[in-house]
Amino acid sequence: MKILVAVKRVVDHAVRVRVRPDGSGVETENVRMSMNPFDKNAVEAAVQLGEAGHADEIVVVSIGPRQSNDVILTALAMGAHRGILIEADGRVETLAVAKLLRAVVDEEKPDLVLLGKQAVDDDSNQVGQMLAGLLDWPQATFASEIKVVGGGLEVTREVDYGRATIGVALPAIVTADLRLNTPRNAALPMVMKARSKPLAVRPVAEFGIDVAPRLKVEKVSPPAERPGGRKLGSVDELAAAIKSELSELEAL
Amino acid sequence: MAVLVLAEHDLGKLSASTARIVAAAERLGPVHLLVAGQGVAEVAAEAARIAGVEKVLVADSPALAELTAEAVAKLLAELAEPYGHIVAASASTGRDAIPRLAAKLDVMPVTDVIAIHGPNRFDRPIYAGNAIETIASGEPKHLLTIRASAFRPAQSGNNAPISAVGPDVAAVAKFIAAHRTESELPELSTAQIVVAGGVSFGSAERFALVEDLARTLGAAVGATRAAVDAGYAPNDWQVGQTGKIIAPDLYIGIGISGALQHLAGIQGARKIVAINKDPEAPLMKIADIALVGDLFEVVPQLIAGLKR
Ligand SMILES: Cc1cc2nc3c(=O)[nH]c(=O)nc-3n(C[C@H](O)[C@H](O)[C@H](O)COP(=O)(O)OP(=O)(O)OC[C@H]3O[C@@H](n4cnc5c(N)ncnc54)[C@H](O)[C@@H]3O)c2cc1C
């Protein structure tokens, strides 16, 4: 099968972001950026399907500023074959991202599209589901296991009550959860090799899709601070403190 | 215009989160509460008792038994026309179906809403809750998922009329198996007290200490991602950015460092208690009550102390 993987360049997950004092957003200048962690799981899943003989071509696509080349190169170093960067500056909303991805699907005709289940910057958790809706394909979101069975997939999903296993026919959309796999760190020769793999850069305007945001971000504010409290000296004090919390709760 | 709200239910029971999203949705207009599933007559009867519900719609069909995104989105699309808002809880079903529906209706949704300022103005967290976005939507219809724990539940005491809607839906994905975590402890996402443990417990057997303390307190159990990844706790106990977001009155975190992705899940907790051998752990710094100590000594003593 042919697999398309969508990846996003985001503020590194280990960075604690700061809200700009004027409320216009979070500070992204001079902040470490990297591939969205869930997208790494998606790339890894695609590469593993390739290694198991189920996939013969893996195409990676990213939508974002020119620097998103970085994350495409990371995916190519992990084992993807070819990259596409749809160059777009500024905020591109999830619905526009899904429409751009549909255009890429129409061109590339993959059997499977893998995405991360959410991006750790806007935490939207929307694009995979939207792409599935636009294409009218089945979706298996929040995947922690993917098996190729017959001509389709058996996907185990992380859900509120535990896990659920579903069967989907191809073509399909699968979004990756963190427990799907452990993404590899590409070895240096693979990183060097990635630079010679094809990477097409295409301006967003080429697609003729309206990407103007429909939601207005009025302001961005920091969350309420938790000032911290008291340190106790013994387990007895802790038991007493918890008991008094419990009686307060009963009184409520 | 009325608001269409998708009820959360599981194993023939209405979920506690439903009353919370009804209370939130009521601010947007009269609530029509949709109960979708198979054999859900009793759930619908329960739903009709939630205060603020104008009517209950029931879509009962084998194709809705597992509430797959395809079937739920199709059902909602069929019913969408007269509604100004379509609302679901920010939980497995809503997260899966609302964006799919949004694409079908060509509407940009707002997910994980934690505050409602008006019919088209909402707050939602970004960056694992380290920033809050205030959004104004100009969309003709508003598709929302709402974080139930951010809202107080609607009261009970109503007798809303119930009517059937005939959905023309088919389940696309084939359901193969449910792997449920069996537990007699309260439901994590809406529990009043939560006891959570980290990877430092070192084994599933020793993680049972968390459950013992939870049982003593009548609390639900939570875990860090590291504890789940290590196999000490099931995935549906994970609390955080990519697990459950909780807002208990009392949260007790044991041997948990307090990584920002974990803190994302407990920002709404009223009181935080932390037990850790490292006084500098981030969770210890934000805790209302902190005790420095070795959890293997502290927890058994604490259980004994609470029983006294
Ligand atoms: C994209 C992404 C999403 C994530 N989502 C989540 C999420 O949803 N939820 C989540 O929890 N994590 C999440 N994580 C992981 C998160 O970053 C942390 O790795 C994780 O929360 C750490 O778990 P922990 O506190 O159990 O372990 P550690 O960080 O290893 O902390 C262990 C703590 O136990 C203490 N300790 C050790 N031994 C003892 C003892 N004997 N007695 C007392 N204290 C002791 C230590 O001092 C330390 O503070 C995510 C990470 C990423 C990258």
Side-chain angles (χ1 to χ4, degrees), chain A residues 141 160 163 165 167 179 221, chain B residues 96 132 134 174 177 179 238 244:
Chain A
T141 49
D160 290 337
R163 289 169 299 129
T165 304
R179 272 179 284 274
S221 1
Chain B
D96 206 21
I132 313 291
T134 302
K174 185 173 97 204
H179 317 274
Q238 182 175 314
K244 290 193 173 141

Side-chain angles (χ1 to χ4, degrees), chain B residues 57-147:
Chain B
L57 306 175
V58 186
D60 206 319
S61 155
L64 290 165
E66 305 300 339
L67 294 176
T68 63
E70 294 84 0
V72 174
K74 178 116 196 294
L75 171 66
L76 291 173
E78 280 185 21
L79 299 173
E81 216 273 311
Y83 294 101
H85 295 78
I86 299 174
V87 173
S90 188
S92 304
T93 307
R95 280 186 190 139
D96 206 21
I98 292 291
R100 186 177 176 104
L101 172 72
K104 293 215 174 279
L105 301 180
D106 196 23
V107 166
M108 182 59 204
V110 183
T111 50
D112 217 9
V113 169
I114 55 167
I116 297 174
H117 300 298
N120 70 335
R121 292 181 64 240
F122 315 100
D123 282 355
R124 64 179 302 271
I126 53 175
Y127 290 96
N130 285 304
I132 313 291
E133 235 178 20
T134 302
I135 297 284
S137 167
E139 295 289 57
K141 217 183 251 314
H142 301 291
L143 304 192
L144 312 175
T145 68
I146 291 188
R147 183 181 286 185

